[in-house]
């Protein structure tokens, strides 16, 4: 992001945002920096640093405030997050690969829906039965899917699942998982209060066993934590009659 894409985007959106109807005539279009700073409850000096590229690491709270103040669409919020992500120069270490025995165990479980997740909720491997009923399609993360536009139609008990997915991500992030913290940052911007309200108030670990409803399927699940460095967990689902 050597050309300060984040700053250019913020300035362009500010200048394209209509000023208050009481602002009267002005020489420049859109909002002044002070007007946007007031709306986002940040200082003019900090907004200036963001637009000029001297500060390229705003917090998730600041990004959400700016996105709200600029009335960004969901797609524009995703773009804003990607601009931040593109400026990250330090990538986390690659996760360890799944052991062949874990993959063999998954293969033996078919036709049972089952998956292996990392702490951030990425699906590292799964049975075809899980892929068929999960609703994920091209999505590879169960937390991101839970806060996607498709989730409420797929989960009749969405509120319960949303609370549990947010709690799982919070627990992983609090233990220092880089990918979980990065996903929480992303979802605080792209999913907004639907995610942040549940993430911020998570006060308990998610259940390791229970029942979930997925698009016509009532499924009991069991979670087994696999030994090894990756802190992976195997989640197996069984039809509940």
């Amino acid at each position: 992001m050597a050309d300060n894409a984040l700053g250019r985007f913020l300035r362009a959106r500010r200048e394209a945002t209509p000023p208050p109807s009481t602002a009267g005539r002005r020489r420049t279009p859109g909002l002044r920096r002070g007007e946007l700073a007031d709306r986002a409850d940040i200082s003019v000096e900090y907004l200036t640093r963001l637009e000029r590229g001297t500060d390229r690491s705003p917090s998730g709270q600041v990004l959400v405030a700016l996105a709200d103040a600029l009335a960004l669409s969901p797609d524009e919020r995703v773009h804003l997050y990607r601009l931040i992500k593109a400026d990250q120069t330090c990538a986390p270490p690659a996760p360890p690969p799944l052991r062949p025995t874990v993959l063999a165990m998954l293969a033996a479980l078919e036709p049972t829906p089952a998956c292996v997740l990392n702490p951030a909720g990425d699906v590292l491997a799964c049975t075809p039965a899980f892929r068929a009923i999960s609703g994920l399609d091209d999505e590879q993360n169960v937390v991101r899917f839970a806060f996607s536009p498709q989730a409420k139609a797929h989960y009749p008990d969405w509120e319960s699942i949303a609370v549990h997915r947010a709690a799982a991500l919070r627990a992983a992030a609090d233990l220092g998982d880089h990918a979980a913290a990065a996903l929480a940052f992303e979802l605080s911007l792209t999913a907004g209060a639907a995610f942040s309200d549940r993430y911020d108030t998570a006060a308990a670990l998610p259940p390791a066993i229970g029942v979930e409803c997925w698009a016509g399927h009532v499924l009991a699940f069991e979670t087994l934590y696999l030994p090894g460095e990756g802190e992976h967990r195997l989640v197996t689902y069984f039809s509940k009659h």
Side-chain angles (χ1 to χ4, degrees):
M1 216 167 74
D3 63 345
N4 188 26
L6 173 64
R8 287 191 295 106
F9 178 77
L10 290 174
R11 180 171 181 174
R13 287 295 306 174
R14 173 173 64 80
E15 293 179 346
T17 301
S21 57
T22 58
R25 298 183 63 182
R26 54 180 67 197
R27 290 178 296 175
T28 56
L31 295 175
R32 298 189 177 108
R33 279 196 183 123
E35 291 168 337
L36 176 57
D38 286 344
R39 288 188 181 188
D41 196 24
I42 62 176
S43 70
V44 177
E45 292 76 14
Y46 186 55
L47 178 58
T48 301
R49 295 201 302 270
L50 290 176
E51 290 191 356
R52 291 178 177 174
T54 55
D55 189 319
R56 301 188 181 189
S57 302
S59 68
Q61 183 178 3
V62 167
L63 283 178
V64 170
L66 285 169
D68 290 343
L70 292 169
L72 297 188
S73 69
D75 287 343
E76 289 168 336
R77 290 170 183 260
V78 171
H79 180 67
L80 187 62
Y81 167 73
R82 288 174 175 168
L83 291 177
I84 297 294
K85 190 175 180 182
D87 198 36
Q88 295 175 351
T89 56
C90 297
L98 291 179
R99 296 188 299 277
T101 49
V102 173
L103 296 176
M105 181 168 55
L106 270 180
L109 284 171
E110 179 65 23
T112 299
C115 63
V116 175
L117 304 175
N118 66 10
D122 293 318
V123 179
L124 304 179
C126 66
T127 62
F130 174 85
R131 180 63 62 181
I133 68 171
S134 67
L136 295 181
D137 295 327
D138 295 331
E139 178 56 62
Q140 298 298 320
N141 184 282
V142 296
V143 185
R144 186 184 289 110
F145 176 73
F147 292 95
S148 70
Q150 300 83 10
K152 288 187 178 180
H154 187 74
Y155 297 131
D157 58 343
W158 177 82
E159 176 60 30
S160 175
I161 287 177
V163 167
H164 292 161
R165 299 288 192 270
L169 194 67
R170 177 65 182 268
D174 285 350
L175 289 174
D177 187 83
H178 177 91
L183 181 57
F185 182 93
E186 171 192 339
L187 291 175
S188 70
L189 181 63
T190 58
F195 169 75
S196 297
D197 289 351
R198 293 163 179 81
Y199 182 86
D200 292 344
T201 58
L205 294 176
I209 60 174
V211 177
E212 294 181 349
C213 297
W214 297 5
H217 301 274
V218 180
L219 302 167
F221 67 90
E222 290 273 349
T223 305
L224 300 176
Y225 289 87
L226 304 176
E229 297 179 359
E231 298 186 14
H232 301 149
R233 59 192 190 273
L234 170 68
V235 187
T236 308
Y237 295 87
F238 304 92
S239 295
K240 187 174 177 63
H241 302 290

